[in-house]
Amino acid sequence: MDLGIENRVALVAASSMGLGKAIASQLSREGSRVAICARGEERLLKTRDEIASETGGQVQAFVADVADRNQVSKLVKNVVAELGTVEILVCNAGGPPSGMADEFSLDDYQQALELNLLSTVNLCYEVIPLMKKQKWGRIINMVSISAKQPIENLILSNTARAGVLGFSKSISNQLAPYGVTVNSVCPGYIKTERVENLARDFQEKGQGTSKDFYHSIENTIPLGRLGQPEEIAQAVAFLASERASYITGVALQVDGGYIKALY
Ligand SMILES: NC(=O)c1ccc[n+]([C@@H]2O[C@H](COP(=O)([O-])OP(=O)(O)OC[C@H]3O[C@@H](n4cnc5c(N)ncnc54)[C@H](OP(=O)(O)O)[C@@H]3O)[C@@H](O)[C@H]2O)c1
């Protein structure tokens, strides 16, 4: 299927590795011109070169911390200066630490909200005026299955991500008249460094070996395995596409069947 996004300008936040990198690669394969960002410059530039040499597409790298309001504003300005606009926005960030409610202070919540809720709000606020003006846009907010079905040891994620779903649904209604769609993607357990870190935490907290961690997760997934980053990227690319023009305000779980509820 031709997704119809050749030459569209895509900004994929937090994309030097993991899900963000897979999404940026997929959009580049579809012919979009892609801006990637992360805090660490070395890995970011390596990723830029890797994607560009694989796809032959235009890929630009911008060092930025998406949890910092001023850096988000500068990031979007720089992307517009280099690539002309933003037509596809993928809001993504690193994950908050794992743990139960009694392990965290109010400051920890504040940080998690800045990283996983306000970064999305900031990115959207910077980009929405451009999308309204050009009467076309695709916003995809990356959350987690924890937004739909809280995960026991991820209280910070459970709290911040539900807010993103509320924000996404609200702005999807307001932006629909401008041809701008807004959707969220809720990945299940996907093989990235983030999940390897969770496995390490599990082992360090004496809850079992990292093998036990993976087994316990696989047992909860009807498809019987963790997902690959590319399986998230393909869903995101579809939502970013011309072909998804009548889909807005959804929160799509891509989780191998992990979520047990109907909606
Ligand atoms: N993997 C999963 O199974 C899964 C499932 C559900 C939800 N998620 C969520 O999806 C998001 C991405 O997950 P992942 O597995 O791809 O994580 P990852 O492998 O840890 O990669 C995170 C990426 O984001 C960048 N990043 C982190 N914090 C940033 C910040 N403040 N500003 C800009 N860039 C930042 C990192 O680069 P720098 O460190 O250099 O900035 C890196 O490129 C996380 O929020 C995670 O919690 C993941």
mmCIF file of all heavy atoms in Angstrom, residues 124-163:
data_model
loop_
_atom_site.group_PDB
_atom_site.id
_atom_site.type_symbol
_atom_site.label_atom_id
_atom_site.label_comp_id
_atom_site.label_asym_id
_atom_site.label_seq_id
_atom_site.Cartn_x
_atom_site.Cartn_y
_atom_site.Cartn_z
ATOM 1 N N CYS A 124 2.987 19.546 20.903
ATOM 2 C CA CYS A 124 1.743 19.801 20.151
ATOM 3 C C CYS A 124 1.476 21.304 20.051
ATOM 4 O O CYS A 124 1.137 21.813 18.977
ATOM 5 C CB CYS A 124 0.557 19.098 20.816
ATOM 6 S SG CYS A 124 0.623 17.309 20.602
ATOM 7 N N TYR A 125 1.632 22.020 21.165
ATOM 8 C CA TYR A 125 1.369 23.471 21.131
ATOM 9 C C TYR A 125 2.274 24.184 20.125
ATOM 10 O O TYR A 125 1.864 25.136 19.469
ATOM 11 C CB TYR A 125 1.561 24.081 22.531
ATOM 12 C CG TYR A 125 0.285 24.087 23.357
ATOM 13 C CD1 TYR A 125 -0.463 22.939 23.513
ATOM 14 C CD2 TYR A 125 -0.164 25.251 23.978
ATOM 15 C CE1 TYR A 125 -1.629 22.932 24.266
ATOM 16 C CE2 TYR A 125 -1.335 25.256 24.732
ATOM 17 C CZ TYR A 125 -2.058 24.092 24.861
ATOM 18 O OH TYR A 125 -3.217 24.091 25.600
ATOM 19 N N GLU A 126 3.509 23.722 20.010
ATOM 20 C CA GLU A 126 4.447 24.369 19.062
ATOM 21 C C GLU A 126 4.077 24.076 17.608
ATOM 22 O O GLU A 126 4.310 24.901 16.729
ATOM 23 C CB GLU A 126 5.884 23.882 19.328
ATOM 24 C CG GLU A 126 6.484 24.365 20.635
ATOM 25 C CD GLU A 126 6.746 25.875 20.663
ATOM 26 O OE1 GLU A 126 6.896 26.479 19.592
ATOM 27 O OE2 GLU A 126 6.792 26.440 21.779
ATOM 28 N N VAL A 127 3.528 22.893 17.373
ATOM 29 C CA VAL A 127 3.335 22.444 15.990
ATOM 30 C C VAL A 127 1.909 22.703 15.471
ATOM 31 O O VAL A 127 1.706 22.923 14.266
ATOM 32 C CB VAL A 127 3.710 20.927 15.898
ATOM 33 C CG1 VAL A 127 3.226 20.314 14.616
ATOM 34 C CG2 VAL A 127 5.226 20.772 16.032
ATOM 35 N N ILE A 128 0.942 22.731 16.370
ATOM 36 C CA ILE A 128 -0.462 22.885 15.937
ATOM 37 C C ILE A 128 -0.695 24.126 15.054
ATOM 38 O O ILE A 128 -1.377 24.020 14.028
ATOM 39 C CB ILE A 128 -1.415 22.853 17.165
ATOM 40 C CG1 ILE A 128 -1.551 21.406 17.649
ATOM 41 C CG2 ILE A 128 -2.790 23.440 16.844
ATOM 42 C CD1 ILE A 128 -2.228 21.264 19.001
ATOM 43 N N PRO A 129 -0.129 25.296 15.393
ATOM 44 C CA PRO A 129 -0.389 26.456 14.522
ATOM 45 C C PRO A 129 0.048 26.213 13.075
ATOM 46 O O PRO A 129 -0.642 26.629 12.133
ATOM 47 C CB PRO A 129 0.438 27.575 15.166
ATOM 48 C CG PRO A 129 0.597 27.159 16.591
ATOM 49 C CD PRO A 129 0.643 25.670 16.584
ATOM 50 N N LEU A 130 1.162 25.498 12.881
ATOM 51 C CA LEU A 130 1.630 25.183 11.520
ATOM 52 C C LEU A 130 0.632 24.269 10.819
ATOM 53 O O LEU A 130 0.282 24.472 9.646
ATOM 54 C CB LEU A 130 2.983 24.440 11.568
ATOM 55 C CG LEU A 130 4.168 25.150 12.173
ATOM 56 C CD1 LEU A 130 5.311 24.169 12.435
ATOM 57 C CD2 LEU A 130 4.633 26.253 11.219
ATOM 58 N N MET A 131 0.172 23.271 11.535
ATOM 59 C CA MET A 131 -0.743 22.285 10.935
ATOM 60 C C MET A 131 -2.090 22.919 10.595
ATOM 61 O O MET A 131 -2.686 22.631 9.565
ATOM 62 C CB MET A 131 -0.923 21.090 11.876
ATOM 63 C CG MET A 131 0.322 20.243 12.001
ATOM 64 S SD MET A 131 0.014 18.761 12.979
ATOM 65 C CE MET A 131 1.544 17.861 12.705
ATOM 66 N N LYS A 132 -2.553 23.813 11.484
ATOM 67 C CA LYS A 132 -3.837 24.487 11.217
ATOM 68 C C LYS A 132 -3.733 25.330 9.957
ATOM 69 O O LYS A 132 -4.626 25.345 9.118
ATOM 70 C CB LYS A 132 -4.214 25.391 12.405
ATOM 71 C CG LYS A 132 -4.899 24.653 13.534
ATOM 72 C CD LYS A 132 -5.008 25.531 14.743
ATOM 73 C CE LYS A 132 -6.414 25.964 15.023
ATOM 74 N NZ LYS A 132 -6.538 26.624 16.336
ATOM 75 N N LYS A 133 -2.580 26.005 9.849
ATOM 76 C CA LYS A 133 -2.364 26.895 8.712
ATOM 77 C C LYS A 133 -2.317 26.107 7.400
ATOM 78 O O LYS A 133 -2.893 26.516 6.389
ATOM 79 C CB LYS A 133 -1.057 27.675 8.925
ATOM 80 C CG LYS A 133 -1.014 28.990 8.209
ATOM 81 C CD LYS A 133 0.092 29.845 8.770
ATOM 82 C CE LYS A 133 0.624 30.760 7.683
ATOM 83 N NZ LYS A 133 1.983 31.171 7.955
ATOM 84 N N GLN A 134 -1.634 24.951 7.432
ATOM 85 C CA GLN A 134 -1.499 24.194 6.174
ATOM 86 C C GLN A 134 -2.671 23.238 5.937
ATOM 87 O O GLN A 134 -2.740 22.551 4.932
ATOM 88 C CB GLN A 134 -0.145 23.469 6.126
ATOM 89 C CG GLN A 134 0.053 22.374 7.134
ATOM 90 C CD GLN A 134 1.509 22.240 7.615
ATOM 91 O OE1 GLN A 134 2.370 23.060 7.340
ATOM 92 N NE2 GLN A 134 1.786 21.193 8.371
ATOM 93 N N LYS A 135 -3.601 23.228 6.892
ATOM 94 C CA LYS A 135 -4.813 22.406 6.801
ATOM 95 C C LYS A 135 -4.515 20.927 6.531
ATOM 96 O O LYS A 135 -5.248 20.239 5.808
ATOM 97 C CB LYS A 135 -5.769 22.954 5.720
ATOM 98 C CG LYS A 135 -6.327 24.331 6.023
ATOM 99 C CD LYS A 135 -7.788 24.410 5.647
ATOM 100 C CE LYS A 135 -8.504 25.670 6.039
ATOM 101 N NZ LYS A 135 -8.282 26.158 7.380
ATOM 102 N N TRP A 136 -3.470 20.466 7.091
ATOM 103 C CA TRP A 136 -3.130 19.034 7.031
ATOM 104 C C TRP A 136 -2.154 18.747 8.148
ATOM 105 O O TRP A 136 -1.199 19.499 8.370
ATOM 106 C CB TRP A 136 -2.469 18.663 5.698
ATOM 107 C CG TRP A 136 -2.472 17.170 5.426
ATOM 108 C CD1 TRP A 136 -3.421 16.466 4.730
ATOM 109 C CD2 TRP A 136 -1.496 16.194 5.856
ATOM 110 N NE1 TRP A 136 -3.099 15.127 4.699
ATOM 111 C CE2 TRP A 136 -1.922 14.927 5.378
ATOM 112 C CE3 TRP A 136 -0.318 16.252 6.594
ATOM 113 C CZ2 TRP A 136 -1.218 13.741 5.603
ATOM 114 C CZ3 TRP A 136 0.390 15.064 6.833
ATOM 115 C CH2 TRP A 136 -0.058 13.828 6.332
ATOM 116 N N GLY A 137 -2.378 17.663 8.838
ATOM 117 C CA GLY A 137 -1.415 17.273 9.865
ATOM 118 C C GLY A 137 -1.755 15.925 10.448
ATOM 119 O O GLY A 137 -2.904 15.461 10.391
ATOM 120 N N ARG A 138 -0.723 15.291 10.963
ATOM 121 C CA ARG A 138 -0.894 14.002 11.652
ATOM 122 C C ARG A 138 -0.097 14.094 12.951
ATOM 123 O O ARG A 138 1.125 14.334 12.914
ATOM 124 C CB ARG A 138 -0.315 12.852 10.814
ATOM 125 C CG ARG A 138 -0.990 12.619 9.463
ATOM 126 C CD ARG A 138 -2.313 11.889 9.656
ATOM 127 N NE ARG A 138 -2.936 11.567 8.389
ATOM 128 C CZ ARG A 138 -3.833 12.341 7.762
ATOM 129 N NH1 ARG A 138 -4.205 13.505 8.284
ATOM 130 N NH2 ARG A 138 -4.378 11.939 6.642
ATOM 131 N N ILE A 139 -0.805 13.928 14.072
ATOM 132 C CA ILE A 139 -0.110 13.877 15.365
ATOM 133 C C ILE A 139 -0.305 12.481 15.938
ATOM 134 O O ILE A 139 -1.444 11.982 16.001
ATOM 135 C CB ILE A 139 -0.669 14.941 16.339
ATOM 136 C CG1 ILE A 139 -0.410 16.353 15.796
ATOM 137 C CG2 ILE A 139 -0.052 14.777 17.728
ATOM 138 C CD1 ILE A 139 -1.024 17.483 16.612
ATOM 139 N N ILE A 140 0.808 11.858 16.293
ATOM 140 C CA ILE A 140 0.722 10.534 16.917
ATOM 141 C C ILE A 140 1.449 10.616 18.251
ATOM 142 O O ILE A 140 2.648 10.928 18.307
ATOM 143 C CB ILE A 140 1.347 9.423 16.026
ATOM 144 C CG1 ILE A 140 0.551 9.298 14.717
ATOM 145 C CG2 ILE A 140 1.302 8.078 16.740
ATOM 146 C CD1 ILE A 140 1.190 9.900 13.556
ATOM 147 N N ASN A 141 0.707 10.407 19.325
ATOM 148 C CA ASN A 141 1.295 10.487 20.660
ATOM 149 C C ASN A 141 1.595 9.085 21.171
ATOM 150 O O ASN A 141 0.702 8.242 21.276
ATOM 151 C CB ASN A 141 0.336 11.216 21.606
ATOM 152 C CG ASN A 141 0.203 12.683 21.206
ATOM 153 O OD1 ASN A 141 1.173 13.284 20.736
ATOM 154 N ND2 ASN A 141 -0.975 13.256 21.370
ATOM 155 N N MET A 142 2.872 8.859 21.475
ATOM 156 C CA MET A 142 3.298 7.538 21.942
ATOM 157 C C MET A 142 3.047 7.435 23.440
ATOM 158 O O MET A 142 3.564 8.257 24.214
ATOM 159 C CB MET A 142 4.792 7.331 21.657
ATOM 160 C CG MET A 142 5.161 7.421 20.192
ATOM 161 S SD MET A 142 4.226 6.284 19.139
ATOM 162 C CE MET A 142 4.760 4.705 19.794
ATOM 163 N N VAL A 143 2.245 6.481 23.835
ATOM 164 C CA VAL A 143 2.028 6.263 25.268
ATOM 165 C C VAL A 143 2.429 4.823 25.611
ATOM 166 O O VAL A 143 3.526 4.393 25.274
ATOM 167 C CB VAL A 143 0.599 6.646 25.710
ATOM 168 C CG1 VAL A 143 0.487 8.126 25.917
ATOM 169 C CG2 VAL A 143 -0.457 6.189 24.740
ATOM 170 N N SER A 144 1.530 4.093 26.247
ATOM 171 C CA SER A 144 1.861 2.733 26.677
ATOM 172 C C SER A 144 0.563 2.028 27.012
ATOM 173 O O SER A 144 -0.453 2.684 27.306
ATOM 174 C CB SER A 144 2.746 2.811 27.928
ATOM 175 O OG SER A 144 2.752 1.570 28.594
ATOM 176 N N ILE A 145 0.611 0.705 27.043
ATOM 177 C CA ILE A 145 -0.550 -0.040 27.520
ATOM 178 C C ILE A 145 -0.916 0.375 28.942
ATOM 179 O O ILE A 145 -2.055 0.227 29.349
ATOM 180 C CB ILE A 145 -0.302 -1.574 27.481
ATOM 181 C CG1 ILE A 145 1.122 -1.873 27.943
ATOM 182 C CG2 ILE A 145 -0.617 -2.166 26.117
ATOM 183 C CD1 ILE A 145 1.412 -3.339 28.140
ATOM 184 N N SER A 146 0.053 0.932 29.675
ATOM 185 C CA SER A 146 -0.219 1.334 31.066
ATOM 186 C C SER A 146 -1.267 2.440 31.136
ATOM 187 O O SER A 146 -1.869 2.660 32.184
ATOM 188 C CB SER A 146 1.071 1.801 31.755
ATOM 189 O OG SER A 146 1.526 3.010 31.187
ATOM 190 N N ALA A 147 -1.502 3.135 30.018
ATOM 191 C CA ALA A 147 -2.534 4.178 30.000
ATOM 192 C C ALA A 147 -3.930 3.563 30.001
ATOM 193 O O ALA A 147 -4.904 4.195 30.401
ATOM 194 C CB ALA A 147 -2.367 5.064 28.771
ATOM 195 N N LYS A 148 -4.030 2.322 29.536
ATOM 196 C CA LYS A 148 -5.339 1.665 29.460
ATOM 197 C C LYS A 148 -5.509 0.630 30.556
ATOM 198 O O LYS A 148 -6.617 0.380 31.009
ATOM 199 C CB LYS A 148 -5.484 0.957 28.106
ATOM 200 C CG LYS A 148 -5.650 1.897 26.931
ATOM 201 C CD LYS A 148 -6.169 1.120 25.736
ATOM 202 C CE LYS A 148 -6.602 2.024 24.619
ATOM 203 N NZ LYS A 148 -7.372 1.317 23.597
ATOM 204 N N GLN A 149 -4.401 -0.005 30.913
ATOM 205 C CA GLN A 149 -4.446 -1.048 31.941
ATOM 206 C C GLN A 149 -3.210 -0.866 32.817
ATOM 207 O O GLN A 149 -2.127 -1.319 32.457
ATOM 208 C CB GLN A 149 -4.432 -2.425 31.261
ATOM 209 C CG GLN A 149 -4.531 -3.599 32.215
ATOM 210 C CD GLN A 149 -4.686 -4.912 31.454
ATOM 211 O OE1 GLN A 149 -5.630 -5.101 30.711
ATOM 212 N NE2 GLN A 149 -3.757 -5.819 31.637
ATOM 213 N N PRO A 150 -3.369 -0.132 33.948
ATOM 214 C CA PRO A 150 -2.202 0.175 34.775
ATOM 215 C C PRO A 150 -1.353 -1.058 35.087
ATOM 216 O O PRO A 150 -1.886 -2.141 35.328
ATOM 217 C CB PRO A 150 -2.820 0.760 36.040
ATOM 218 C CG PRO A 150 -4.109 1.349 35.573
ATOM 219 C CD PRO A 150 -4.613 0.436 34.484
ATOM 220 N N ILE A 151 -0.031 -0.857 35.052
ATOM 221 C CA ILE A 151 0.914 -1.953 35.328
ATOM 222 C C ILE A 151 1.429 -1.769 36.752
ATOM 223 O O ILE A 151 1.794 -0.655 37.152
ATOM 224 C CB ILE A 151 2.080 -1.908 34.308
ATOM 225 C CG1 ILE A 151 1.521 -2.144 32.896
ATOM 226 C CG2 ILE A 151 3.159 -2.932 34.647
ATOM 227 C CD1 ILE A 151 2.526 -1.951 31.781
ATOM 228 N N GLU A 152 1.436 -2.880 37.511
ATOM 229 C CA GLU A 152 1.639 -2.804 38.964
ATOM 230 C C GLU A 152 2.866 -1.976 39.387
ATOM 231 O O GLU A 152 2.775 -1.136 40.252
ATOM 232 C CB GLU A 152 1.740 -4.213 39.529
ATOM 233 C CG GLU A 152 1.639 -4.219 41.045
ATOM 234 C CD GLU A 152 1.594 -5.627 41.586
ATOM 235 O OE1 GLU A 152 0.502 -6.207 41.614
ATOM 236 O OE2 GLU A 152 2.678 -6.144 41.972
ATOM 237 N N ASN A 153 4.009 -2.196 38.766
ATOM 238 C CA ASN A 153 5.222 -1.519 39.259
ATOM 239 C C ASN A 153 5.598 -0.304 38.409
ATOM 240 O O ASN A 153 6.748 0.096 38.378
ATOM 241 C CB ASN A 153 6.404 -2.501 39.313
ATOM 242 C CG ASN A 153 6.822 -2.901 37.905
ATOM 243 O OD1 ASN A 153 5.991 -2.886 37.006
ATOM 244 N ND2 ASN A 153 8.081 -3.221 37.721
ATOM 245 N N LEU A 154 4.625 0.275 37.723
ATOM 246 C CA LEU A 154 4.920 1.456 36.888
ATOM 247 C C LEU A 154 3.965 2.600 37.225
ATOM 248 O O LEU A 154 3.319 3.167 36.348
ATOM 249 C CB LEU A 154 4.806 1.093 35.395
ATOM 250 C CG LEU A 154 5.938 0.251 34.781
ATOM 251 C CD1 LEU A 154 5.658 -0.043 33.314
ATOM 252 C CD2 LEU A 154 7.290 0.957 34.905
ATOM 253 N N ILE A 155 3.917 2.964 38.509
ATOM 254 C CA ILE A 155 2.941 3.971 38.954
ATOM 255 C C ILE A 155 3.131 5.311 38.227
ATOM 256 O O ILE A 155 2.160 5.984 37.880
ATOM 257 C CB ILE A 155 2.999 4.154 40.494
ATOM 258 C CG1 ILE A 155 1.973 5.176 40.990
ATOM 259 C CG2 ILE A 155 4.364 4.603 40.972
ATOM 260 C CD1 ILE A 155 0.600 4.674 41.133
ATOM 261 N N LEU A 156 4.399 5.695 37.972
ATOM 262 C CA LEU A 156 4.630 7.000 37.328
ATOM 263 C C LEU A 156 4.108 6.972 35.888
ATOM 264 O O LEU A 156 3.482 7.926 35.413
ATOM 265 C CB LEU A 156 6.116 7.365 37.360
ATOM 266 C CG LEU A 156 6.722 7.560 38.755
ATOM 267 C CD1 LEU A 156 8.221 7.845 38.644
ATOM 268 C CD2 LEU A 156 6.026 8.691 39.511
ATOM 269 N N SER A 157 4.377 5.880 35.188
ATOM 270 C CA SER A 157 3.890 5.738 33.822
ATOM 271 C C SER A 157 2.359 5.692 33.818
ATOM 272 O O SER A 157 1.702 6.392 33.042
ATOM 273 C CB SER A 157 4.474 4.464 33.203
ATOM 274 O OG SER A 157 3.941 4.235 31.928
ATOM 275 N N ASN A 158 1.774 4.893 34.703
ATOM 276 C CA ASN A 158 0.307 4.769 34.771
ATOM 277 C C ASN A 158 -0.342 6.149 34.924
ATOM 278 O O ASN A 158 -1.390 6.429 34.349
ATOM 279 C CB ASN A 158 -0.113 3.923 35.981
ATOM 280 C CG ASN A 158 0.423 2.498 35.925
ATOM 281 O OD1 ASN A 158 0.802 2.029 34.866
ATOM 282 N ND2 ASN A 158 0.460 1.833 37.062
ATOM 283 N N THR A 159 0.291 7.001 35.726
ATOM 284 C CA THR A 159 -0.285 8.309 36.053
ATOM 285 C C THR A 159 -0.131 9.287 34.896
ATOM 286 O O THR A 159 -1.104 9.923 34.475
ATOM 287 C CB THR A 159 0.419 8.872 37.316
ATOM 288 O OG1 THR A 159 0.322 7.901 38.348
ATOM 289 C CG2 THR A 159 -0.209 10.171 37.771
ATOM 290 N N ALA A 160 1.086 9.378 34.356
ATOM 291 C CA ALA A 160 1.340 10.388 33.307
ATOM 292 C C ALA A 160 0.643 10.042 31.995
ATOM 293 O O ALA A 160 0.118 10.917 31.299
ATOM 294 C CB ALA A 160 2.843 10.518 33.082
ATOM 295 N N ARG A 161 0.620 8.762 31.639
ATOM 296 C CA ARG A 161 0.178 8.399 30.284
ATOM 297 C C ARG A 161 -1.328 8.515 30.112
ATOM 298 O O ARG A 161 -1.802 8.787 29.012
ATOM 299 C CB ARG A 161 0.624 6.992 29.960
ATOM 300 C CG ARG A 161 2.119 6.802 30.251
ATOM 301 C CD ARG A 161 2.777 6.122 29.169
ATOM 302 N NE ARG A 161 4.128 5.710 29.498
ATOM 303 C CZ ARG A 161 5.193 6.175 28.869
ATOM 304 N NH1 ARG A 161 5.061 7.078 27.928
ATOM 305 N NH2 ARG A 161 6.391 5.740 29.176
ATOM 306 N N ALA A 162 -2.074 8.293 31.210
ATOM 307 C CA ALA A 162 -3.527 8.447 31.104
ATOM 308 C C ALA A 162 -3.853 9.899 30.742
ATOM 309 O O ALA A 162 -4.799 10.175 29.993
ATOM 310 C CB ALA A 162 -4.187 8.054 32.419
ATOM 311 N N GLY A 163 -3.038 10.836 31.250
ATOM 312 C CA GLY A 163 -3.230 12.253 30.918
ATOM 313 C C GLY A 163 -3.042 12.511 29.438
ATOM 314 O O GLY A 163 -3.755 13.330 28.843
#
